[in-house]
Amino acid sequence: MMNLLKRLQYPILAPLIGLSLWQAVVWLTNAPHFILPGPLRVAQAGYKNWESISGHALVTATEIGLGLVIGILLGVATAINLATSPRLARLSLPLLVFTQAVPVFALAPILTLWFGYGMGSKIIMAVLIIYFPVTSAFYDGLSRTPSGLLDLARTMGARPSQVMWRIKIPHALPSLASGLKLAAVYAPIGAVIGEWVGSSNGLGYLMLLANGRAKTDLMFASVFVLAIMTVVLHRLISMLANRVSAMAASGEAPPKI
Amino acid sequence: MTNAPAITLSGSYRLDQIPLFSDVNLHLQAGEWTCLLGKSGMGKSTILRLILGLEVAGAFTGDITAGDGAPIDGRASYMAQTDLLLPWLTLRENVVLGARLRGDTADLGRADQLIDRVGLRDYRDAKPAALSGGMRQRAALARCLMEDRPVVLLDEPFSALDAGTRADMQDLAAEVLAGRTVLLVTHDPAEACRLGHRIILLTAEGTQNWPVPDSAPIRRADDPQVLQGQAALLAHLRGAAA
């Protein structure tokens, strides 16, 4: 029991301190509630509008989830292709970096124009924002296979495809894992930007709506739900990523691909 | 291993237009151990990589041929200073890596025999992280035997081991690789004097044969001739370095 308390000490203490500071600012500045609502008011707004918030949260969560899956699959496939063909890599890496120089924010309106106000454009936004980190982290890992292992494989008369599956990919799993952790944090940003630019559903839409009607407490409640979703997603992906890294380091058998 | 070929490498090697070694004429006798010594950076490992057909940084002009006229590619296996075991595979899976990488079915029964032969029976299913440095080099040796190639090229495979383990590994390697054409690149005069049917020194001017003790390898570490030989060889190497 004492151990559990000790372990939970900081996870409990940190939010408490944060909430107290927040309340202190509200009291000290004497700000009206439509400028800065206190924590209690935000909690009340969240409770009162729970049905609406959870509905919008489900839409955003779906966009994030689908965006993550598609973005990760595309990123992994691209990285493997780049690692297989150095010529392709030399040709397309500068291109990839260039596309990253274009902020997704700038693309959001045109994506909405192309793919509509529904979930499609938001999913594509999430895919776009995570595709590069996943590709570049995994490609980096794939191109760092120790040369000794490649020499050994060469003397064994290995097939390139087998070297990829049995040596390069397992060796690059920890790099892929760090790309996945980044993706878990970026994907919600992509989805919410998409919702801001044009939609009738999702937490991003709800935030804009609440803000426009000076329902600042509802806006804060939506932000909190989004933040909690992102933290949970990051934790889940981190756990998965750490497992994958441990496998590659020595732990259990690698996934049978 | 009666079909082990002799191997001859003759030629010069330039790195960034600067000759690293010229007019080298290295002859590996069929079925014998040849030990190659020389200063660091002289190109010992390069020679080994050239015979293996691996990429090298510079340009080699000359010939690398097998005594029987057939290509060397596919007949040579390789052991490096590091064990090159894949950390996510068990010892047995590591031993059969070659077959897996070629897309063939792995002969697990034979792998187990070879693992027994290098004395790792109890560790078949262990991960490399659970093995000591000496055990990992034994595993690498088993993997090398699994490939069953008539030519074996060793790049300082025992240099990272402690003295006792190193002597054990030398005994084991000499036993299990008997009859194959072996090139051992080494820094250690004692190792060369124990293991070599012949000892060759690599210098910028080319190769030079060094006399070996009269007895056949593997020689006892405390054989007076071995001790004398290694002392003389060490003195020569130091003199050459000065």
Side-chain angles (χ1 to χ4, degrees), chain B residues 22-103:
Chain B
S22 4
D23 301 327
V24 158
N25 198 327
L26 180 72
H27 184 70
L28 312 181
Q29 289 279 19
E32 291 193 352
W33 281 67
T34 306
C35 296
L36 184 63
L37 285 94
K39 278 194 288 182
S40 295
M42 212 70 253
K44 301 189 295 294
S45 295
T46 302
I47 286 185
L48 184 138
R49 295 180 68 85
L50 285 168
I51 297 174
L52 279 167
L54 294 174
E55 270 178 40
V56 289
F60 173 75
T61 41
D63 287 310
I64 304 168
T65 51
D68 53 12
I72 301 169
D73 198 29
R75 288 199 290 168
S77 62
Y78 168 55
M79 227 179 121
Q81 184 174 352
T82 51
D83 52 67
L84 299 176
L85 298 172
L86 298 178
W88 55 86
L89 294 182
T90 62
L91 168 50
R92 187 197 275 120
E93 292 291 322
N94 264 299
V95 170
V96 298
L97 181 69
R100 294 254 202 264
L101 287 178
R102 288 186 291 273

Side-chain angles (χ1 to χ4, degrees), chain A residues 149-217:
Chain A
L149 289 178
L150 297 179
D151 288 344
L152 181 72
R154 163 81 182 73
T155 64
M156 286 172 160
R159 289 189 200 171
S161 60
Q162 293 291 333
V163 175
M164 179 60 76
W165 286 125
R166 294 183 186 276
I167 299 181
K168 289 188 178 176
I169 289 179
H171 187 267
L173 286 181
S175 308
L176 174 62
S178 44
L180 294 187
K181 287 185 207 172
L182 279 180
V185 184
Y186 286 171
I189 300 178
V192 169
I193 293 171
E195 289 169 356
W196 275 347
V197 170
S199 73
S200 50
N201 268 312
L203 285 175
Y205 161 77
L206 186 62
M207 283 176 214
L208 271 193
L209 186 80
N211 211 27
R213 299 183 180 175
K215 290 188 181 173
T216 316
D217 45 5

Side-chain angles (χ1 to χ4, degrees), chain A residues 120-143:
Chain A
S121 54
K122 286 81 198 173
I123 294 172
I124 289 172
M125 197 81 76
V127 168
L128 281 183
I129 210 168
I130 67 171
Y131 174 69
F132 186 75
V134 172
T135 306
S136 105
F138 194 35
Y139 174 69
D140 206 39
L142 288 174
S143 33

Side-chain angles (χ1 to χ4, degrees), chain A residues 62-83:
Chain A
T62 312
E63 291 162 1
I64 294 172
L66 285 174
L68 260 182
V69 171
I70 298 171
I72 290 171
L73 287 179
L74 279 179
V76 165
T78 310
I80 291 176
N81 272 306
L82 292 179

